[in-house]
Amino acid sequence: MVETSPIRFFEQIPSQAGFADRFGRKLTYLRISVTDRCNMRCDYCRPAADAYKAESHSNILRYEEIERIVSVAAELGVSKIRITGGEPLVRRDLPMLIEKISAISGITDLALSTNATLLGKYAKDLASAGLQRINVSIDSLNALRFRKLTGGELAPVLAGIQAANDAGLTPIKLNTVLMKGINDDEVADLIDFASDIGATIRFIELMPMKQGLDWEKHYMSVDDILARKDVQARVDISPMQTGNTAARYLPLKSGKGEVGFIMPMSERFCEGCNRLRLTADGGLRSCLPADDQLNLRDLMRHGGSDADIRSTFLRSALIKPEVGIYNFDSDSEKRSMIHIGG
Ligand code: SAM
């Protein structure tokens, strides 16, 4: 149980000390889920096909509430915001929220994670509102397989990526969760595709969240990926740099760009973790796999002040674990990525 005294201790730290956790990690990055609804049905992201029950609209943070939270976070030293979901573009008037956040002093990096299906419609408005760049999830380049994996269509995703590029939402990063026996045969095609369109692709290890997909059967490590001949033909796999960022990059042999690898399972990047997450229903989480979260929505709706929000951020920093441990036994639907926000 967290005591209140250490919070007071943190509050006494002069502001130039920044906003750090117990292990000295500065927390400068807030990932905000604006909805737990999605227009796709990826089995690795939700509990089981169509079994996920989205939060009611009244439980979801309003844009003014998100704006208020970001203002307090920025005062504490958060400078980077990523908007995510669910699928953030299914939430109405997202450019309006982007405009509000981009106007907050101290926010210098504003990005969006999306499946890109609606980017054709919104890319220009998002860019005009102040969005700087996007990450697009794309797990297959085969239209039939894409439909089977996601329940969605590939063509609007490709059009969305083009629209983002035209709108200047660059550099574009593509994210692919590689899954054994599902899409691992496409790794070379995905690398070539990214290189052709001038984007950077990153391969993410499948995490054991609450999901409708058998993690043990389909998990593959980055080492498994790098052992592939078609990958070695394209990527210079000389020792990967070490560092504290979530992604490690290796250069393409063609000289045209690099490929990223995100290894939440085989090589945790907790040591340099600078992240906090805000769920669509107002939960503040300091670690993706840890179940603890603090409720900012109820705090604000019961008259909490900005100072109370600030204290909640400090408390969240205080309970941030040194290392995130994935709980294979947890059965809570709230541990799915669609609920937490990717
Ligand atoms: N809808 C947006 C998108 O498609 O990017 C944002 C939300 S989505 C949950 C964010 C990211 O989480 C996606 O790149 C997705 O592939 C990733 N993700 C979801 N479940 C995952 C899991 N079990 N393991 C690894 N990555 C996962």
Side-chain angles (χ1 to χ4, degrees):
M1 204 52 213
V2 180
E3 302 296 333
T4 49
S5 50
I7 299 167
R8 288 202 201 96
F9 166 76
F10 266 82
E11 282 173 339
Q12 285 160 15
I13 296 176
S15 60
Q16 63 268 29
F19 172 45
D21 71 0
R22 290 176 294 154
F23 308 98
R25 295 173 296 198
K26 283 236 174 138
L27 305 179
T28 53
Y29 181 11
L30 179 62
R31 295 172 74 99
I32 301 174
S33 172
V34 293
T35 179
D36 66 340
R37 289 164 198 260
C38 189
N39 52 359
M40 286 191 170
R41 298 277 175 275
C42 308
D43 278 343
Y44 59 78
C45 192
R46 54 173 66 222
D50 292 323
Y52 183 70
K53 195 170 170 308
E55 292 286 342
S56 68
H57 288 296
S58 60
N59 281 345
I60 298 297
L61 290 181
R62 296 187 288 268
Y63 284 166
E64 312 84 77
E65 292 171 324
I66 296 176
E67 185 187 9
R68 187 173 165 205
I69 291 170
V70 176
S71 299
V72 174
E75 279 168 18
L76 279 165
V78 167
S79 56
K80 177 174 176 179
I81 301 287
R82 173 171 299 282
I83 303 296
T84 180
E87 171 47 41
L89 290 173
V90 302
R91 178 136 181 202
R92 197 184 295 172
D93 297 329
L94 190 72
M96 206 154 81
L97 177 69
I98 296 290
E99 198 168 342
K100 286 175 190 293
I101 294 179
S102 70
I104 294 173
S105 163
I107 301 304
T108 54
D109 190 348
L110 181 52
L112 173 80
S113 285
T114 173
N115 61 30
T117 45
L118 296 170
L119 266 182
K121 190 169 171 195
Y122 292 118
K124 261 198 202 144
D125 290 349
L126 291 165
S128 313
L131 186 71
Q132 292 162 350
R133 54 203 177 78
I134 54 155
N135 287 2
V136 174
S137 305
I138 183 163
D139 294 327
S140 175
L141 292 169
N142 173 307
L144 283 179
R145 180 183 280 175
F146 188 90
R147 190 181 299 152
K148 191 160 175 262
L149 285 178
T150 68
E153 299 297 321
L154 180 62
V157 172
L158 301 178
I161 294 172
Q162 180 65 51
N165 199 44
D166 295 346
L169 293 172
T170 52
I172 295 176
K173 286 184 185 150
L174 307 178
N175 288 330
T176 301
V177 179
L178 273 187
M179 294 163 281
K180 203 182 286 174
I182 294 185
N183 63 350
D184 53 333
D185 57 335
E186 286 194 62
V187 59
D189 289 347
L190 284 156
I191 292 173
D192 293 344
F193 170 72
S195 163
D196 287 349
I197 65 166
T200 297
I201 191 151
R202 298 156 355 137
F203 295 109
I204 308 175
E205 290 176 346
L206 182 67
M207 292 179 281
M209 307 300 285
K210 175 75 180 163
Q211 57 198 280
L213 189 83
D214 184 343
W215 180 83
E216 283 186 15
K217 188 165 165 205
H218 297 294
Y219 169 74
M220 59 190 299
S221 70
V222 164
D223 282 349
D224 295 334
I225 301 169
L226 294 178
R228 292 181 60 107
K229 293 251 169 344
D230 51 1
V231 173
Q232 291 177 12
R234 289 165 172 79
V235 178
D236 178 1
I237 64 161
S238 53
M240 182 129 20
Q241 328 94 286
T242 51
N244 286 334
T245 52
R248 304 287 161 80
Y249 291 91
L250 289 175
L252 283 174
K253 284 184 171 165
S254 66
K256 288 201 292 175
E258 53 189 9
V259 178
F261 299 91
I262 301 182
M263 301 171 268
M265 306 311 298
S266 67
E267 193 199 310
R268 302 223 170 109
F269 38 83
C270 303
E271 207 181 312
C273 183
N274 59 355
R275 299 167 178 207
L276 294 165
R277 288 168 194 267
L278 182 64
T279 64
D281 57 347
L284 185 62
R285 298 174 73 104
S286 53
C287 176
L288 174 62
D291 283 337
D292 302 310
Q293 65 178 45
L294 304 173
N295 191 328
L296 280 173
R297 181 198 62 209
D298 291 351
L299 177 84
M300 289 189 294
R301 293 188 186 172
H302 291 107
S305 65
D306 284 1
D308 294 328
I309 298 174
R310 182 185 156 93
S311 296
T312 307
F313 269 100
L314 297 172
R315 228 172 103 210
S316 186
L318 205 59
I319 59 175
K320 186 175 172 72
E322 187 170 17
V323 175
I325 309 281
Y326 288 84
N327 179 359
F328 286 77
D329 299 326
S330 170
D331 212 31
S332 166
E333 307 246 311
K334 303 224 164 189
R335 288 197 70 258
S336 59
M337 288 293 272
I338 191 164
H339 189 268
I340 298 171

